[in-house]
Amino acid sequence: LNLSLRTEQLRTIAFTPAKANGEAIFENVPPGKYSVMVNVSKAPNYTVGRVSVEGGPDVEGHDVTVGEGATVDVAATLMAGVVSVEGVVKKDGKPLSGAMVALVPKDPRTHIERFRRDQSDMDGTFTVGGILPGTYTLIAVEDGWGFAWMKEGVLEKYLAKGQQLNIGVMMNNKVMLPEAVEAQPK
């Protein structure tokens, strides 16, 4: 288990393995706002779901603020990604192969670690696995590989026609979509 601090510009400024008791110490951290990130070497995926700073109340998310010359004690609650979503991509009522299927988190720019993608198979089916708890929009895009998803305005046009999904903390195994996902043109 490794922990890191990431800036709002998505740059990692500190990285350390956690001790056996789960504790990690970051020293000489410049003042600023950071996301506490977790990385494990094998499945399942994990993310920080809640933090409490210096014994304060739990707050949803993984963001902490470090003040000038401050020592900050942070307790983080980890969530595992054990859910998979299965479904079918269709275009004009027929199964579509080769579409990019993406599960986009509610706040994609600050939760990049929650993105999940797959490609629809020959029969239009897909499985997106290792999903972390949270709110998502499921989209399918024809030939959607290889362009700048995080560029301002690109993702938003697809999200408007996507399917909303809520993956709960207590969910596990498979979620089968009752309806097909309609492929959107690139």
Side-chain angles (χ1 to χ4, degrees):
L1 178 71
N2 298 298
L3 295 169
S4 62
L5 296 177
R6 186 178 71 192
T7 67
E8 292 178 296
Q9 293 76 33
L10 307 180
R11 198 178 110 231
T12 299
I13 61 108
F15 180 88
T16 189
K19 298 178 184 176
N21 66 359
E23 182 178 283
I25 298 174
F26 298 103
E27 296 180 343
N28 302 317
V29 175
K33 182 177 177 183
Y34 301 101
S35 295
V36 180
M37 307 303 292
V38 62
N39 184 330
V40 292
S41 58
K42 56 184 174 180
N45 296 308
Y46 284 89
T47 192
V48 174
R50 301 184 77 69
V51 294
S52 65
V53 178
E54 298 182 38
D58 280 3
V59 179
E60 187 174 339
H62 51 57
D63 294 337
V64 295
T65 301
V66 177
E68 183 75 42
T71 297
V72 181
D73 250 347
V74 177
T77 302
L78 301 183
M79 299 184 307
V82 295
V83 175
S84 65
V85 171
E86 295 183 3
V88 176
V89 176
K90 289 190 175 182
K91 180 176 180 179
D92 300 326
K94 297 177 184 172
L96 179 69
S97 66
M100 186 189 76
V101 178
L103 200 58
V104 182
K106 181 179 179 182
D107 189 0
R109 301 218 180 334
T110 58
H111 292 290
I112 289 175
E113 78 283 2
R114 294 185 185 202
F115 268 88
R116 296 292 181 267
R117 296 190 300 179
D118 191 28
Q119 180 169 309
S120 59
D121 295 331
M122 294 298 288
D123 61 356
T125 60
F126 66 88
T127 301
V128 181
I131 303 169
L132 298 158
T135 301
Y136 297 88
T137 303
L138 181 68
I139 60 173
V141 180
E142 291 180 79
D143 192 29
W145 300 96
F147 66 99
W149 286 97
M150 296 310 286
K151 185 177 175 184
E152 195 68 36
V154 172
L155 200 52
E156 289 76 7
K157 83 175 197 179
Y158 298 104
L159 294 175
K161 295 181 181 176
Q163 291 184 17
Q164 300 297 305
L165 294 175
N166 289 306
I167 304 299
V169 174
M170 300 305 289
M171 293 173 74
N172 57 42
N173 298 324
K174 294 180 200 175
V175 173
M176 300 291 293
L177 296 179
E179 296 178 15
V181 180
E182 188 66 28
Q184 299 180 57
K186 184 173 177 182

